[in-house]
Amino acid sequence: MSSLTAPRQVPAAAPAPSPLLRPARTLTRYALRHGLPGRFLARAARAGDPVARMLRERDLREQPYAVHDRLRAAGPLVPSALGLVTASHAVAQEVLRSDRFGVGFDGSAVPGLLGRALRFADELDASGVAERPSMLVVDPPDHTRYRRLVGRAFTPRATAAFEPMIRRTADALLDDLTGADGPVDLVDRYAAQLPVLVIAELLGVPTDRRADFLRWGAAAAATLDPGLPLRRYVAAERGLRAMHGFLRDHFDHLRRDPGDDLVSRLVGLSGEEALTERELHATVLLLLGAGFETTVNLLGNAVVALDAHRDQWDALRAEPAGWANAVEEALRFDSPVQLTSRAARVEVEVAGRRLSPGTRVTLLLGAANRDPDVFPEPARFDVTRRNAREHLAFSAGVHYCLGAGLARLEAEVALRALSERFPRLRIAGLPVRRDLRTLRGFEVLPVSLR
Ligand code: HEM
């Protein structure tokens, strides 16, 4: 019997960790996930490793494209502080689509002192979206099982049914901006609000908690980055704990009083399909976090690119059918998720190089999306680019973004509505980038509306 059809053992819930040990656990987690990798990256950056420098130095992070070009020129797979890295579209796509690579790293299987430290540090309430059993970091067959359970809510038909709600929400947010005197922060008032309202509505979590979600999510998004300083890690963990606390109360509420929404369905699964408490937390945390922490970046990045290419903004206003492709070009040109990684599961050959099992390859999605072999004149922003949709901004293969259709629809509706309501919108101050490495977007985007 394959592991896909074998009856699943639903493990009993782990005993709650003693609160007395919490600081020791937090420090161990910090040391393992950020402190030690951070020191390693710092040393590599000092030795001139371009990838480590790009991760650590803010100006290189804000303008990474020269580093990407250098890496691409150095070859399809370049050794770096993050293992092998690629800036090549073909190689990134090949790795992402290959079943010889996986995302899995299971700390529970590590032997010795390191294994003991990993198990000691492991705690549901401090776990982020990129920790097991989040589907993002789980290989088939578990990945297939998680994805199937939630996939129905994200089919093209289910997504399209949300269009009127997205439109209404965008219009209401724009109504609130109409009376604004002087510059407004477009991220705070629009780009961040729309995605959180939409995903909360889709999942059936209370939209009136959106300010909390945004605050917790902004802190927690940093956990995707390697080598955080302690202060930021502690803030991120505080955000995660608050989010898990909210989810626990919400699941309890839905057990007593289920609704007609995705989370109620996940909470109510029984028999072989039942999710453990931990799987439930990981799945809903990922859907919620991925739902609003990424689309905000796409909206901000798109507005900045269009502001710098005014003729294209005006052309889209005259020909709104072009918005769908403009969204693809914005995803390609300034990708909201800059990198991800995979590890070889077996010996495998990539770009003429033999990789042994366990070899990690970092895929610079933002760089692959500017690979001149696929996108002629890649540094040119062109909303009519024919093959813009070939970008890897939503990844590829089995982990291809589950919410890609929703993100595309939200962005198309949001940008079109914005351009129709405020055709004279201009950037009116210095946009400030979020201090993140994996995600790329703006924290503050001052605009004048008329
Ligand atoms: C512009 C917006 C978005 C971008 C750029 C984006 C990007 C990505 C990327 C690159 C991955 C795969 C990472 C990897 O291969 O390691 C991913 C996975 C995922 N995304 Fe998105 N995403 C966006 C919006 C959304 C939205 C709105 C949702 C809604 C819930 C969502 C849910 C997910 C989920 C659940 C996964 C995990 C899929 C899996 O592992 O099978 N994303 N996303």
Side-chain angles (χ1 to χ4, degrees), residues 96 103 135-138 143 147 150 154 199 286-288 290-292 294-296 298 331 335-337 339-342 365 392-396 398-404 406-407 410:
L96 289 168
V103 287
M135 78 177 94
L136 201 53
V137 287
V138 169
H143 173 265
R147 186 134 173 158
V150 295
F154 293 91
I199 194 69
L286 174 65
L287 293 176
L288 190 57
F292 69 80
T294 45
T295 314
V296 53
L298 169 57
L331 284 159
S335 307
V337 178
L339 53 98
T340 185
S341 73
R342 297 290 185 268
L365 302 177
L392 297 175
F394 290 123
S395 187
V398 295
H399 292 276
Y400 180 78
C401 175
L402 181 71
L406 181 66
E410 276 184 56

mmCIF file of all heavy atoms in Angstrom, residues 96 103 135-138 143 147 150 154 199 286-288 290-292 294-296 298 331 335-337 339-342 365 392-396 398-404 406-407 410, ligand 1:
data_model
loop_
_atom_site.group_PDB
_atom_site.id
_atom_site.type_symbol
_atom_site.label_atom_id
_atom_site.label_comp_id
_atom_site.label_asym_id
_atom_site.label_seq_id
_atom_site.Cartn_x
_atom_site.Cartn_y
_atom_site.Cartn_z
ATOM 1 N N LEU A 96 12.649 23.746 -9.876
ATOM 2 C CA LEU A 96 11.324 23.844 -9.235
ATOM 3 C C LEU A 96 10.379 22.741 -9.727
ATOM 4 O O LEU A 96 9.542 22.250 -8.978
ATOM 5 C CB LEU A 96 10.702 25.222 -9.514
ATOM 6 C CG LEU A 96 11.358 26.399 -8.784
ATOM 7 C CD1 LEU A 96 10.873 27.725 -9.347
ATOM 8 C CD2 LEU A 96 11.077 26.328 -7.285
ATOM 9 N N VAL A 103 11.507 20.221 -0.766
ATOM 10 C CA VAL A 103 11.650 21.360 0.147
ATOM 11 C C VAL A 103 11.932 20.894 1.564
ATOM 12 O O VAL A 103 12.264 21.671 2.434
ATOM 13 C CB VAL A 103 10.375 22.232 0.184
ATOM 14 C CG1 VAL A 103 10.231 23.037 -1.082
ATOM 15 C CG2 VAL A 103 9.138 21.385 0.430
ATOM 16 N N MET A 135 2.489 23.563 4.261
ATOM 17 C CA MET A 135 2.650 22.854 2.980
ATOM 18 C C MET A 135 3.803 23.424 2.156
ATOM 19 O O MET A 135 4.367 22.746 1.303
ATOM 20 C CB MET A 135 1.351 22.861 2.187
ATOM 21 C CG MET A 135 1.031 24.128 1.472
ATOM 22 S SD MET A 135 -0.478 23.987 0.514
ATOM 23 C CE MET A 135 -1.660 24.610 1.689
ATOM 24 N N LEU A 136 4.147 24.674 2.443
ATOM 25 C CA LEU A 136 5.253 25.325 1.733
ATOM 26 C C LEU A 136 6.564 24.552 1.894
ATOM 27 O O LEU A 136 7.423 24.585 1.028
ATOM 28 C CB LEU A 136 5.409 26.734 2.341
ATOM 29 C CG LEU A 136 6.095 27.833 1.599
ATOM 30 C CD1 LEU A 136 5.521 28.034 0.216
ATOM 31 C CD2 LEU A 136 5.989 29.132 2.402
ATOM 32 N N VAL A 137 6.740 23.880 3.006
ATOM 33 C CA VAL A 137 8.019 23.210 3.284
ATOM 34 C C VAL A 137 7.848 21.705 3.518
ATOM 35 O O VAL A 137 8.621 21.096 4.247
ATOM 36 C CB VAL A 137 8.742 23.869 4.489
ATOM 37 C CG1 VAL A 137 9.316 25.212 4.107
ATOM 38 C CG2 VAL A 137 7.825 24.009 5.690
ATOM 39 N N VAL A 138 6.803 21.145 2.910
ATOM 40 C CA VAL A 138 6.551 19.711 3.055
ATOM 41 C C VAL A 138 6.509 19.097 1.657
ATOM 42 O O VAL A 138 5.942 19.682 0.742
ATOM 43 C CB VAL A 138 5.204 19.482 3.796
ATOM 44 C CG1 VAL A 138 4.797 18.036 3.733
ATOM 45 C CG2 VAL A 138 5.316 19.941 5.245
ATOM 46 N N HIS A 143 2.369 16.851 1.292
ATOM 47 C CA HIS A 143 2.063 18.090 0.590
ATOM 48 C C HIS A 143 0.792 17.928 -0.253
ATOM 49 O O HIS A 143 -0.083 18.797 -0.256
ATOM 50 C CB HIS A 143 3.255 18.489 -0.296
ATOM 51 C CG HIS A 143 2.952 19.648 -1.177
ATOM 52 N ND1 HIS A 143 2.535 19.512 -2.475
ATOM 53 C CD2 HIS A 143 2.944 20.980 -0.918
ATOM 54 C CE1 HIS A 143 2.304 20.704 -2.990
ATOM 55 N NE2 HIS A 143 2.551 21.606 -2.075
ATOM 56 N N ARG A 147 -2.594 20.139 0.201
ATOM 57 C CA ARG A 147 -2.979 21.004 -0.909
ATOM 58 C C ARG A 147 -4.371 20.628 -1.415
ATOM 59 O O ARG A 147 -5.168 21.482 -1.767
ATOM 60 C CB ARG A 147 -1.921 20.883 -2.012
ATOM 61 C CG ARG A 147 -2.154 21.845 -3.113
ATOM 62 C CD ARG A 147 -0.927 22.572 -3.555
ATOM 63 N NE ARG A 147 -1.285 23.334 -4.735
ATOM 64 C CZ ARG A 147 -0.648 24.377 -5.178
ATOM 65 N NH1 ARG A 147 0.417 24.805 -4.566
ATOM 66 N NH2 ARG A 147 -1.036 25.023 -6.244
ATOM 67 N N VAL A 150 -7.289 22.140 0.656
ATOM 68 C CA VAL A 150 -7.617 23.566 0.548
ATOM 69 C C VAL A 150 -7.810 24.021 -0.896
ATOM 70 O O VAL A 150 -8.349 25.101 -1.144
ATOM 71 C CB VAL A 150 -6.530 24.456 1.203
ATOM 72 C CG1 VAL A 150 -6.474 24.206 2.696
ATOM 73 C CG2 VAL A 150 -5.169 24.221 0.592
ATOM 74 N N PHE A 154 -9.613 27.523 -4.057
ATOM 75 C CA PHE A 154 -8.803 28.401 -4.905
ATOM 76 C C PHE A 154 -8.866 28.025 -6.385
ATOM 77 O O PHE A 154 -8.005 28.423 -7.153
ATOM 78 C CB PHE A 154 -7.339 28.384 -4.423
ATOM 79 C CG PHE A 154 -7.175 29.006 -3.064
ATOM 80 C CD1 PHE A 154 -7.267 28.231 -1.917
ATOM 81 C CD2 PHE A 154 -6.966 30.365 -2.925
ATOM 82 C CE1 PHE A 154 -7.147 28.802 -0.656
ATOM 83 C CE2 PHE A 154 -6.839 30.948 -1.675
ATOM 84 C CZ PHE A 154 -6.931 30.168 -0.535
ATOM 85 N N ILE A 199 -8.641 38.117 1.967
ATOM 86 C CA ILE A 199 -8.318 36.772 2.455
ATOM 87 C C ILE A 199 -9.101 36.463 3.731
ATOM 88 O O ILE A 199 -9.525 35.319 3.957
ATOM 89 C CB ILE A 199 -6.783 36.566 2.633
ATOM 90 C CG1 ILE A 199 -6.441 35.070 2.804
ATOM 91 C CG2 ILE A 199 -6.215 37.335 3.785
ATOM 92 C CD1 ILE A 199 -6.638 34.222 1.587
ATOM 93 N N LEU A 286 -0.566 29.766 7.117
ATOM 94 C CA LEU A 286 0.019 29.983 5.790
ATOM 95 C C LEU A 286 -0.976 30.684 4.862
ATOM 96 O O LEU A 286 -0.624 31.645 4.180
ATOM 97 C CB LEU A 286 0.470 28.642 5.173
ATOM 98 C CG LEU A 286 0.959 28.756 3.726
ATOM 99 C CD1 LEU A 286 2.231 29.596 3.642
ATOM 100 C CD2 LEU A 286 1.204 27.385 3.110
ATOM 101 N N LEU A 287 -2.217 30.193 4.843
ATOM 102 C CA LEU A 287 -3.198 30.799 3.927
ATOM 103 C C LEU A 287 -3.409 32.274 4.267
ATOM 104 O O LEU A 287 -3.442 33.132 3.390
ATOM 105 C CB LEU A 287 -4.533 30.061 4.007
ATOM 106 C CG LEU A 287 -4.532 28.628 3.482
ATOM 107 C CD1 LEU A 287 -5.890 27.979 3.716
ATOM 108 C CD2 LEU A 287 -4.192 28.594 1.995
ATOM 109 N N LEU A 288 -3.532 32.538 5.547
ATOM 110 C CA LEU A 288 -3.782 33.910 5.982
ATOM 111 C C LEU A 288 -2.561 34.794 5.674
ATOM 112 O O LEU A 288 -2.680 35.842 5.040
ATOM 113 C CB LEU A 288 -4.077 33.881 7.487
ATOM 114 C CG LEU A 288 -4.595 35.150 8.156
ATOM 115 C CD1 LEU A 288 -5.867 35.626 7.504
ATOM 116 C CD2 LEU A 288 -4.860 34.886 9.646
ATOM 117 N N ALA A 290 0.156 34.201 3.676
ATOM 118 C CA ALA A 290 0.496 34.300 2.255
ATOM 119 C C ALA A 290 -0.542 35.153 1.547
ATOM 120 O O ALA A 290 -0.244 35.839 0.572
ATOM 121 C CB ALA A 290 0.555 32.909 1.621
ATOM 122 N N GLY A 291 -1.767 35.125 2.058
ATOM 123 C CA GLY A 291 -2.851 35.865 1.422
ATOM 124 C C GLY A 291 -2.662 37.367 1.478
ATOM 125 O O GLY A 291 -3.079 38.083 0.574
ATOM 126 N N PHE A 292 -2.036 37.878 2.550
ATOM 127 C CA PHE A 292 -1.933 39.342 2.586
ATOM 128 C C PHE A 292 -0.522 39.884 2.617
ATOM 129 O O PHE A 292 -0.314 41.061 2.336
ATOM 130 C CB PHE A 292 -2.783 39.929 3.730
ATOM 131 C CG PHE A 292 -2.294 39.652 5.128
ATOM 132 C CD1 PHE A 292 -1.266 40.403 5.674
ATOM 133 C CD2 PHE A 292 -2.874 38.669 5.899
ATOM 134 C CE1 PHE A 292 -0.834 40.174 6.968
ATOM 135 C CE2 PHE A 292 -2.451 38.433 7.195
ATOM 136 C CZ PHE A 292 -1.425 39.179 7.729
ATOM 137 N N THR A 294 1.943 39.146 0.614
ATOM 138 C CA THR A 294 2.602 39.170 -0.692
ATOM 139 C C THR A 294 1.918 40.143 -1.653
ATOM 140 O O THR A 294 2.584 40.919 -2.344
ATOM 141 C CB THR A 294 2.546 37.768 -1.320
ATOM 142 O OG1 THR A 294 1.221 37.278 -1.141
ATOM 143 C CG2 THR A 294 3.523 36.831 -0.676
ATOM 144 N N THR A 295 0.566 40.109 -1.684
ATOM 145 C CA THR A 295 -0.146 40.919 -2.671
ATOM 146 C C THR A 295 0.081 42.414 -2.407
ATOM 147 O O THR A 295 0.131 43.210 -3.347
ATOM 148 C CB THR A 295 -1.644 40.548 -2.654
ATOM 149 O OG1 THR A 295 -1.741 39.120 -2.654
ATOM 150 C CG2 THR A 295 -2.363 41.091 -3.864
ATOM 151 N N VAL A 296 0.225 42.790 -1.145
ATOM 152 C CA VAL A 296 0.541 44.188 -0.822
ATOM 153 C C VAL A 296 1.800 44.633 -1.567
ATOM 154 O O VAL A 296 1.882 45.757 -2.077
ATOM 155 C CB VAL A 296 0.695 44.375 0.710
ATOM 156 C CG1 VAL A 296 1.675 43.402 1.311
ATOM 157 C CG2 VAL A 296 1.150 45.781 1.057
ATOM 158 N N LEU A 298 3.029 43.362 -4.394
ATOM 159 C CA LEU A 298 2.751 43.467 -5.829
ATOM 160 C C LEU A 298 2.096 44.817 -6.134
ATOM 161 O O LEU A 298 2.485 45.511 -7.084
ATOM 162 C CB LEU A 298 1.837 42.305 -6.255
ATOM 163 C CG LEU A 298 1.238 42.403 -7.657
ATOM 164 C CD1 LEU A 298 2.312 42.523 -8.725
ATOM 165 C CD2 LEU A 298 0.350 41.183 -7.947
ATOM 166 N N LEU A 331 4.827 41.702 -11.853
ATOM 167 C CA LEU A 331 5.340 40.528 -11.126
ATOM 168 C C LEU A 331 6.733 40.159 -11.616
ATOM 169 O O LEU A 331 7.601 39.748 -10.847
ATOM 170 C CB LEU A 331 4.398 39.332 -11.335
ATOM 171 C CG LEU A 331 3.097 39.353 -10.539
ATOM 172 C CD1 LEU A 331 2.046 38.447 -11.185
ATOM 173 C CD2 LEU A 331 3.352 38.905 -9.100
ATOM 174 N N SER A 335 9.757 41.474 -8.503
ATOM 175 C CA SER A 335 9.039 40.311 -7.972
ATOM 176 C C SER A 335 8.855 40.376 -6.458
ATOM 177 O O SER A 335 9.833 40.560 -5.709
ATOM 178 C CB SER A 335 9.802 39.040 -8.347
ATOM 179 O OG SER A 335 10.030 39.028 -9.740
ATOM 180 N N PRO A 336 7.608 40.188 -5.982
ATOM 181 C CA PRO A 336 7.323 40.301 -4.540
ATOM 182 C C PRO A 336 7.980 39.213 -3.701
ATOM 183 O O PRO A 336 8.230 39.414 -2.521
ATOM 184 C CB PRO A 336 5.797 40.159 -4.470
ATOM 185 C CG PRO A 336 5.294 40.461 -5.849
ATOM 186 C CD PRO A 336 6.380 40.048 -6.784
ATOM 187 N N VAL A 337 8.225 38.031 -4.282
ATOM 188 C CA VAL A 337 8.991 36.992 -3.574
ATOM 189 C C VAL A 337 10.295 36.836 -4.349
ATOM 190 O O VAL A 337 10.289 36.456 -5.513
ATOM 191 C CB VAL A 337 8.230 35.647 -3.514
ATOM 192 C CG1 VAL A 337 9.071 34.588 -2.814
ATOM 193 C CG2 VAL A 337 6.891 35.821 -2.787
ATOM 194 N N LEU A 339 13.178 35.017 -3.549
ATOM 195 C CA LEU A 339 13.943 33.771 -3.604
ATOM 196 C C LEU A 339 13.250 32.639 -2.871
ATOM 197 O O LEU A 339 12.397 32.856 -2.011
ATOM 198 C CB LEU A 339 15.348 33.979 -3.017
ATOM 199 C CG LEU A 339 15.451 34.581 -1.618
ATOM 200 C CD1 LEU A 339 15.641 33.498 -0.569
ATOM 201 C CD2 LEU A 339 16.647 35.526 -1.582
ATOM 202 N N THR A 340 13.622 31.439 -3.267
ATOM 203 C CA THR A 340 13.210 30.249 -2.535
ATOM 204 C C THR A 340 14.326 29.220 -2.726
ATOM 205 O O THR A 340 15.316 29.503 -3.391
ATOM 206 C CB THR A 340 11.838 29.729 -3.013
ATOM 207 O OG1 THR A 340 11.445 28.643 -2.182
ATOM 208 C CG2 THR A 340 11.870 29.255 -4.456
ATOM 209 N N SER A 341 14.173 28.048 -2.115
ATOM 210 C CA SER A 341 15.261 27.072 -2.287
ATOM 211 C C SER A 341 14.712 25.653 -2.325
ATOM 212 O O SER A 341 13.573 25.401 -1.912
ATOM 213 C CB SER A 341 16.288 27.228 -1.168
ATOM 214 O OG SER A 341 15.751 26.725 0.037
ATOM 215 N N ARG A 342 15.528 24.770 -2.822
ATOM 216 C CA ARG A 342 15.206 23.351 -2.869
ATOM 217 C C ARG A 342 16.467 22.569 -2.521
ATOM 218 O O ARG A 342 17.577 23.076 -2.671
ATOM 219 C CB ARG A 342 14.754 22.933 -4.285
ATOM 220 C CG ARG A 342 13.466 23.600 -4.774
ATOM 221 C CD ARG A 342 12.245 23.104 -4.021
ATOM 222 N NE ARG A 342 11.002 23.639 -4.554
ATOM 223 C CZ ARG A 342 10.403 24.740 -4.145
ATOM 224 N NH1 ARG A 342 10.963 25.476 -3.194
ATOM 225 N NH2 ARG A 342 9.265 25.129 -4.665
ATOM 226 N N LEU A 365 14.364 34.085 -7.729
ATOM 227 C CA LEU A 365 13.227 34.254 -8.640
ATOM 228 C C LEU A 365 13.250 35.630 -9.308
ATOM 229 O O LEU A 365 12.977 35.755 -10.506
ATOM 230 C CB LEU A 365 11.909 34.075 -7.867
ATOM 231 C CG LEU A 365 11.719 32.731 -7.148
ATOM 232 C CD1 LEU A 365 10.412 32.719 -6.371
ATOM 233 C CD2 LEU A 365 11.762 31.565 -8.127
ATOM 234 N N LEU A 392 8.613 33.614 -13.067
ATOM 235 C CA LEU A 392 8.538 32.588 -12.010
ATOM 236 C C LEU A 392 8.152 33.221 -10.670
ATOM 237 O O LEU A 392 8.462 32.678 -9.611
ATOM 238 C CB LEU A 392 9.888 31.878 -11.882
ATOM 239 C CG LEU A 392 10.339 31.094 -13.115
ATOM 240 C CD1 LEU A 392 11.756 30.539 -12.905
ATOM 241 C CD2 LEU A 392 9.379 29.944 -13.422
ATOM 242 N N ALA A 393 7.482 34.369 -10.732
ATOM 243 C CA ALA A 393 7.156 35.085 -9.486
ATOM 244 C C ALA A 393 6.260 34.262 -8.565
ATOM 245 O O ALA A 393 6.262 34.457 -7.352
ATOM 246 C CB ALA A 393 6.496 36.424 -9.810
ATOM 247 N N PHE A 394 5.474 33.350 -9.154
ATOM 248 C CA PHE A 394 4.636 32.473 -8.334
ATOM 249 C C PHE A 394 5.275 31.086 -8.197
ATOM 250 O O PHE A 394 4.586 30.132 -7.847
ATOM 251 C CB PHE A 394 3.252 32.310 -8.958
ATOM 252 C CG PHE A 394 2.385 33.547 -8.900
ATOM 253 C CD1 PHE A 394 1.862 34.103 -10.064
ATOM 254 C CD2 PHE A 394 2.073 34.149 -7.685
ATOM 255 C CE1 PHE A 394 1.045 35.225 -10.018
ATOM 256 C CE2 PHE A 394 1.255 35.281 -7.632
ATOM 257 C CZ PHE A 394 0.737 35.822 -8.800
ATOM 258 N N SER A 395 6.582 30.977 -8.492
ATOM 259 C CA SER A 395 7.284 29.706 -8.451
ATOM 260 C C SER A 395 6.796 28.793 -9.586
ATOM 261 O O SER A 395 6.212 29.278 -10.569
ATOM 262 C CB SER A 395 7.108 29.057 -7.069
ATOM 263 O OG SER A 395 7.892 27.913 -6.937
ATOM 264 N N ALA A 396 7.041 27.482 -9.460
ATOM 265 C CA ALA A 396 6.646 26.514 -10.488
ATOM 266 C C ALA A 396 6.666 25.144 -9.829
ATOM 267 O O ALA A 396 7.198 24.991 -8.726
ATOM 268 C CB ALA A 396 7.618 26.557 -11.674
ATOM 269 N N VAL A 398 5.183 21.659 -8.014
ATOM 270 C CA VAL A 398 4.083 21.311 -7.095
ATOM 271 C C VAL A 398 3.776 22.411 -6.077
ATOM 272 O O VAL A 398 2.676 22.480 -5.555
ATOM 273 C CB VAL A 398 4.322 19.978 -6.336
ATOM 274 C CG1 VAL A 398 4.350 18.804 -7.279
ATOM 275 C CG2 VAL A 398 5.559 20.029 -5.461
ATOM 276 N N HIS A 399 4.750 23.300 -5.816
ATOM 277 C CA HIS A 399 4.492 24.375 -4.843
ATOM 278 C C HIS A 399 4.059 25.673 -5.522
ATOM 279 O O HIS A 399 4.001 26.717 -4.861
ATOM 280 C CB HIS A 399 5.731 24.626 -3.976
ATOM 281 C CG HIS A 399 6.024 23.481 -3.063
ATOM 282 N ND1 HIS A 399 5.416 23.329 -1.840
ATOM 283 C CD2 HIS A 399 6.835 22.408 -3.222
ATOM 284 C CE1 HIS A 399 5.850 22.209 -1.277
ATOM 285 N NE2 HIS A 399 6.713 21.638 -2.096
ATOM 286 N N TYR A 400 3.755 25.600 -6.810
ATOM 287 C CA TYR A 400 3.272 26.792 -7.523
ATOM 288 C C TYR A 400 2.196 27.459 -6.671
ATOM 289 O O TYR A 400 1.276 26.802 -6.166
ATOM 290 C CB TYR A 400 2.702 26.384 -8.890
ATOM 291 C CG TYR A 400 2.189 27.566 -9.682
ATOM 292 C CD1 TYR A 400 3.073 28.399 -10.354
ATOM 293 C CD2 TYR A 400 0.833 27.862 -9.743
ATOM 294 C CE1 TYR A 400 2.616 29.493 -11.083
ATOM 295 C CE2 TYR A 400 0.373 28.961 -10.458
ATOM 296 C CZ TYR A 400 1.271 29.770 -11.124
ATOM 297 O OH TYR A 400 0.815 30.858 -11.823
ATOM 298 N N CYS A 401 2.318 28.767 -6.529
ATOM 299 C CA CYS A 401 1.455 29.516 -5.593
ATOM 300 C C CYS A 401 -0.022 29.135 -5.721
ATOM 301 O O CYS A 401 -0.626 29.273 -6.787
ATOM 302 C CB CYS A 401 1.626 31.002 -5.853
ATOM 303 S SG CYS A 401 0.513 31.999 -4.849
ATOM 304 N N LEU A 402 -0.559 28.699 -4.620
ATOM 305 C CA LEU A 402 -1.969 28.304 -4.584
ATOM 306 C C LEU A 402 -2.883 29.506 -4.819
ATOM 307 O O LEU A 402 -3.980 29.369 -5.362
ATOM 308 C CB LEU A 402 -2.261 27.704 -3.200
ATOM 309 C CG LEU A 402 -3.661 27.207 -2.939
ATOM 310 C CD1 LEU A 402 -3.934 25.942 -3.736
ATOM 311 C CD2 LEU A 402 -3.855 26.931 -1.447
ATOM 312 N N GLY A 403 -2.435 30.681 -4.399
ATOM 313 C CA GLY A 403 -3.281 31.877 -4.497
ATOM 314 C C GLY A 403 -2.967 32.734 -5.714
ATOM 315 O O GLY A 403 -3.384 33.895 -5.767
ATOM 316 N N ALA A 404 -2.251 32.168 -6.716
ATOM 317 C CA ALA A 404 -1.836 32.991 -7.864
ATOM 318 C C ALA A 404 -3.044 33.619 -8.564
ATOM 319 O O ALA A 404 -3.029 34.811 -8.901
ATOM 320 C CB ALA A 404 -1.025 32.150 -8.841
ATOM 321 N N LEU A 406 -5.978 34.286 -7.364
ATOM 322 C CA LEU A 406 -6.578 35.300 -6.494
ATOM 323 C C LEU A 406 -5.725 36.577 -6.508
ATOM 324 O O LEU A 406 -6.249 37.691 -6.625
ATOM 325 C CB LEU A 406 -6.683 34.751 -5.066
ATOM 326 C CG LEU A 406 -7.308 35.682 -4.039
ATOM 327 C CD1 LEU A 406 -8.777 35.924 -4.352
ATOM 328 C CD2 LEU A 406 -7.171 35.110 -2.624
ATOM 329 N N ALA A 407 -4.401 36.407 -6.405
ATOM 330 C CA ALA A 407 -3.503 37.572 -6.400
ATOM 331 C C ALA A 407 -3.620 38.342 -7.713
ATOM 332 O O ALA A 407 -3.666 39.577 -7.730
ATOM 333 C CB ALA A 407 -2.060 37.119 -6.173
ATOM 334 N N GLU A 410 -6.997 40.176 -7.719
ATOM 335 C CA GLU A 410 -6.969 41.317 -6.791
ATOM 336 C C GLU A 410 -6.173 42.465 -7.387
ATOM 337 O O GLU A 410 -6.596 43.624 -7.318
ATOM 338 C CB GLU A 410 -6.281 40.918 -5.478
ATOM 339 C CG GLU A 410 -7.186 40.245 -4.497
ATOM 340 C CD GLU A 410 -6.434 39.968 -3.191
ATOM 341 O OE1 GLU A 410 -5.894 40.895 -2.583
ATOM 342 O OE2 GLU A 410 -6.389 38.787 -2.800
HETATM 343 C C1 HEM B 1 1.481 38.679 -5.516
HETATM 344 C C2 HEM B 1 1.102 37.835 -4.629
HETATM 345 C C3 HEM B 1 1.767 36.513 -4.383
HETATM 346 C C4 HEM B 1 3.013 36.069 -4.724
HETATM 347 C C5 HEM B 1 4.099 36.820 -5.486
HETATM 348 C C6 HEM B 1 3.137 34.718 -4.228
HETATM 349 C C7 HEM B 1 4.249 33.930 -4.400
HETATM 350 C C8 HEM B 1 4.343 32.614 -3.999
HETATM 351 C C9 HEM B 1 5.484 31.764 -4.226
HETATM 352 C C10 HEM B 1 6.775 32.202 -4.940
HETATM 353 C C11 HEM B 1 5.207 30.555 -3.707
HETATM 354 C C12 HEM B 1 6.054 29.275 -3.745
HETATM 355 C C13 HEM B 1 7.335 29.331 -2.972
HETATM 356 C C14 HEM B 1 8.170 28.120 -3.286
HETATM 357 O O1 HEM B 1 8.065 27.511 -4.368
HETATM 358 O O2 HEM B 1 8.994 27.759 -2.443
HETATM 359 C C15 HEM B 1 3.882 30.629 -3.129
HETATM 360 C C16 HEM B 1 3.259 29.598 -2.488
HETATM 361 C C17 HEM B 1 2.038 29.721 -1.878
HETATM 362 N N1 HEM B 1 1.187 30.808 -1.938
HETATM 363 FE FE1 HEM B 1 1.511 32.541 -2.867
HETATM 364 N N2 HEM B 1 1.977 34.368 -3.603
HETATM 365 C C18 HEM B 1 1.105 35.426 -3.688
HETATM 366 C C19 HEM B 1 -0.180 35.501 -3.214
HETATM 367 C C20 HEM B 1 -0.818 34.489 -2.557
HETATM 368 C C21 HEM B 1 -2.174 34.553 -2.078
HETATM 369 C C22 HEM B 1 -3.155 35.719 -2.266
HETATM 370 C C23 HEM B 1 -2.419 33.388 -1.451
HETATM 371 C C24 HEM B 1 -3.732 33.030 -0.825
HETATM 372 C C25 HEM B 1 -3.927 32.267 0.155
HETATM 373 C C26 HEM B 1 -1.206 32.571 -1.542
HETATM 374 C C27 HEM B 1 -1.034 31.306 -1.003
HETATM 375 C C28 HEM B 1 0.063 30.507 -1.210
HETATM 376 C C29 HEM B 1 0.185 29.166 -0.664
HETATM 377 C C30 HEM B 1 -0.823 28.437 0.202
HETATM 378 C C31 HEM B 1 1.423 28.680 -1.087
HETATM 379 C C32 HEM B 1 2.035 27.307 -0.785
HETATM 380 C C33 HEM B 1 1.765 26.403 -1.950
HETATM 381 C C34 HEM B 1 2.430 25.060 -1.814
HETATM 382 O O3 HEM B 1 3.422 24.928 -1.100
HETATM 383 O O4 HEM B 1 1.938 24.123 -2.467
HETATM 384 N N3 HEM B 1 -0.263 33.271 -2.214
HETATM 385 N N4 HEM B 1 3.383 31.892 -3.340
#
